[in-house]
Amino acid sequence: MYESERNCVIAYVFGKVYQAFIPFYVYSMLKIYGDIKVILYIDRELDKDISRQISKYFGGGLEIRYINYDKLGLSDMALRNEFVLRAGRWFLIDDDLLDFDNVYIGDIDIFICKEENSLFDEHVRHSKYINLPYSNVVRSIHESRNVRHIIGNMVRHGVKAELYNSFLFSKRDWYLLSGLHFMRMKKYGPAIKEAIPGIIKEINNSFLGKSKVWNEVVINDESILYELINLTGLGIPDYDGERCSGQYIVENLNPETIGYRPHHGLHLKLFQDGFVYDSNVTECKTYKMYYEYFRELYENDIILHQLMKQDNIATYQIKNMINYYSIYEGNYGKKSD
């Protein structure tokens, strides 16, 4: 439908450990969408083994760029917060990205799988359905405040500060746009670039106790995206909590609905510790379909087998995933070594 449009995929890699997912993400994306541009933004020197795999298998389909926080204007206090660092992906709109029709920001630890229709076509359809120059869904603060986040803030700021500020900020309307973000760049890009200085100022003020939105304890990269787009005046999608929940989003493959924002593949994080965080997701029809696609590649594709010879967090999680589907869904492949 939109084959004549120029498409780009971006992923951001924070920390050395997550670089292990780069070959799998790029492999899985280019296996399906071989004519697109893939740009990875990294925050430190690329691991030599990862660099060798990229050079050997991916050639000109991939570009590596280094994240330059200095040019964003974030304060030193703000840059000590991991959620602010993650929010850098919303601000790093390089001028050449405006030349693309569509830019999709994905998660580096998702193994992209083939679907009935192109993810670009489907997100364009969704953007037209919600009448906005981007495709995403709104979620609420209550869905984002997980135990890991709360414990991390207790360690950083103290139990009393975390409990007080969590209670205070949970009493206001605080919404998020998810981290899987699709942009129609001709209209979205210029509006966002104009709004970035204002949201940077608000973030910096949050670490001075002057922000009306966040403070140093309660701040979130996905809420930053929500507030950034809200500042542009482009508009925000309708919010429907029931149809924007995790399981519904994963299972919903209809772009002409509010809650359209599939993973487009297998989120390997679900298998990170040898057990599954959300079996409602991993055992749903969509994830089984994704795994069928992965299993066929794993049994037949030599490049994927070569990538799996590495010993790192990415191969560990993939092997956990293979074991999971072998044990709990006996018809989904063989148990890994």
Side-chain angles (χ1 to χ4, degrees), residues 2 42 59 62 150 215 240 264 279 299 313 317-318:
Y2 303 98
I42 62 177
L62 171 67
I150 293 172
N215 62 29
D240 184 336
H264 297 299
S279 60
E299 291 178 351
I313 186 174
Q317 291 183 11
I318 291 173

Side-chain angles (χ1 to χ4, degrees), residues 192-209:
I192 285 294
K193 288 179 77 73
E194 186 176 341
I196 285 172
I199 207 70
I200 294 291
K201 182 178 180 181
E202 190 70 34
I203 292 170
N204 289 340
N205 281 341
S206 70
F207 292 88
L208 299 173

Side-chain angles (χ1 to χ4, degrees), residues 32-88:
I32 304 169
Y33 306 105
D35 58 344
I36 65 169
K37 179 77 172 182
V38 178
I39 301 174
L40 300 183
Y41 286 84
I42 62 177
D43 65 349
R44 64 199 65 206
E45 184 179 1
L46 188 62
D47 179 86
K48 292 181 180 178
D49 287 337
I50 302 299
S51 180
R52 280 194 290 268
Q53 292 178 61
I54 288 172
S55 298
K56 183 175 181 180
Y57 297 117
F58 307 122
L62 171 67
E63 181 181 348
I64 301 289
R65 298 182 181 180
Y66 287 91
I67 298 173
N68 184 358
Y69 287 108
D70 293 338
K71 69 179 183 180
L72 296 179
L74 290 162
S75 68
D76 290 340
M77 288 189 293
L79 288 174
R80 286 196 288 268
N81 184 287
E82 64 177 291
F83 296 101
V84 173
L85 293 177
R86 293 179 193 173

Side-chain angles (χ1 to χ4, degrees), residues 2-25:
Y2 303 98
E3 292 179 357
S4 62
E5 296 189 338
R6 296 190 65 216
N7 298 313
C8 177
V9 168
I10 292 177
Y12 295 83
V13 187
F14 303 104
K16 185 176 181 179
V17 171
Y18 269 76
Q19 291 186 7
F21 292 95
I22 290 176
F24 294 99
Y25 186 78

Side-chain angles (χ1 to χ4, degrees), residues 142-273:
H142 303 291
E143 295 172 69
S144 71
R145 294 288 295 166
N146 56 47
V147 173
R148 183 179 178 184
H149 187 174
I150 293 172
I151 292 175
N153 276 335
M154 287 181 179
V155 171
R156 284 185 291 271
H157 305 289
V159 173
K160 185 176 180 179
E162 160 61 13
L163 293 177
Y164 172 75
N165 285 286
S166 293
F167 175 80
L168 177 66
F169 274 70
S170 67
K171 292 300 180 182
R172 66 183 297 275
D173 292 331
W174 195 37
Y175 294 102
L176 321 165
L177 280 164
S178 80
L180 299 178
H181 189 51
F182 183 89
M183 303 165 283
R184 298 283 280 165
M185 292 303 291
K186 303 304 181 186
K187 186 174 181 180
Y188 177 93
I192 285 294
K193 288 179 77 73
E194 186 176 341
I196 285 172
I199 207 70
I200 294 291
K201 182 178 180 181
E202 190 70 34
I203 292 170
N204 289 340
N205 281 341
S206 70
F207 292 88
L208 299 173
K210 299 179 180 180
S211 172
K212 297 179 181 179
V213 184
W214 308 291
N215 62 29
E216 65 179 35
V217 174
V218 179
I219 193 165
N220 180 284
D221 52 315
E222 295 183 357
S223 80
I224 289 173
L225 177 61
Y226 180 95
E227 298 296 340
L228 171 63
I229 294 181
N230 203 29
L231 191 62
T232 68
L234 290 172
I236 298 292
D238 292 334
Y239 172 65
D240 184 336
E242 182 178 348
R243 290 179 173 82
C244 293
S245 64
Q247 184 180 354
Y248 179 89
I249 287 174
V250 169
E251 293 183 308
N252 178 29
L253 299 181
N254 180 6
E256 295 186 353
T257 55
I258 292 173
Y260 178 76
R261 200 231 59 175
H263 287 172
H264 297 299
L266 297 153
H267 197 177
L268 301 176
K269 181 180 179 180
L270 293 170
F271 308 93
Q272 65 182 351
D273 292 322

Side-chain angles (χ1 to χ4, degrees), residues 25-26 140 287:
Y25 186 78
V26 176
S140 75
Y287 253 58

